Amino acid sequence: MENCIFCNIIAGEIPSAKVYEDEEMLIFKDIEPKAKIHLLCVPKEHFSTVAELNDTRAALLGRIFQKIGTLKDTLGLSEGYRLVINQGENAGQTVHHLHIHILGGETLPWE
Ligand code: AMP
Ligand code: ZN
């Protein structure tokens, strides 16, 4: 998707601070961190919300969660972390390429 900022990051057209990459996902630092550690994990395939999941994408998302779990210590998240996926306008989704916020590195507030 040409005008998608995360597709542009995946394509290397916009710089990002990458912390993990493989053939189907990318993890990079959020440019406006809302916790001491704030990463974004994106599938390389462009789709916006879980409402667009098919069997292939559901399996991909499963592997993405599995990978986050595998990487938690490497990413400095061994004391715990929060995964957030904003979906649509009411949730404040600003980038319409599905992404998982990975928040940690400190005790996180919960209201
Ligand atoms: P959301 O509000 O859930 O759509 O989250 C979008 C996130 O993308 C926000 O936390 C932004 O700070 C982050 N973001 C936007 N542009 C960039 C960028 N170029 N590099 C890294 N993170 C970005
Ligand atoms: Zn995209």
Side-chain angles (χ1 to χ4, degrees):
M1 261 232 165
E2 254 173 48
N3 57 358
C4 169
I5 190 161
F6 289 171
C7 282
N8 290 333
I9 285 174
I10 290 160
E13 293 157 5
I14 292 177
S16 68
K18 293 180 190 178
V19 299
Y20 175 79
E21 182 169 19
D22 65 25
E23 61 283 351
E24 56 187 5
M25 69 188 84
L26 177 66
I27 305 179
F28 55 98
K29 292 185 182 173
D30 195 293
I31 206 166
E32 281 182 50
K34 289 164 188 73
K36 271 191 186 158
I37 298 174
H38 187 173
L39 306 171
L40 298 171
C41 184
V42 297
K44 288 191 172 177
E45 184 194 358
H46 179 98
F47 58 97
S48 181
T49 70
V50 295
E52 294 158 59
L53 289 181
N54 53 29
D55 287 351
T56 307
R57 288 171 175 170
L60 166 63
L61 208 50
R63 289 192 297 277
I64 286 175
F65 281 117
Q66 188 179 22
K67 181 59 73 178
I68 291 169
T70 305
L71 290 174
K72 69 176 176 58
D73 294 340
T74 312
L75 298 176
L77 300 166
S78 46
E79 302 303 314
Y81 54 100
R82 180 171 297 150
L83 302 179
V84 174
I85 310 180
N86 291 322
Q87 301 283 268
E89 201 175 329
N90 276 5
Q93 184 178 9
T94 57
V95 179
H96 296 280
H97 180 130
L98 188 129
H99 51 282
I100 302 164
H101 293 264
I102 306 172
L103 300 148
E106 61 184 326
T107 301
L108 300 166
W110 181 258
E111 290 154 31

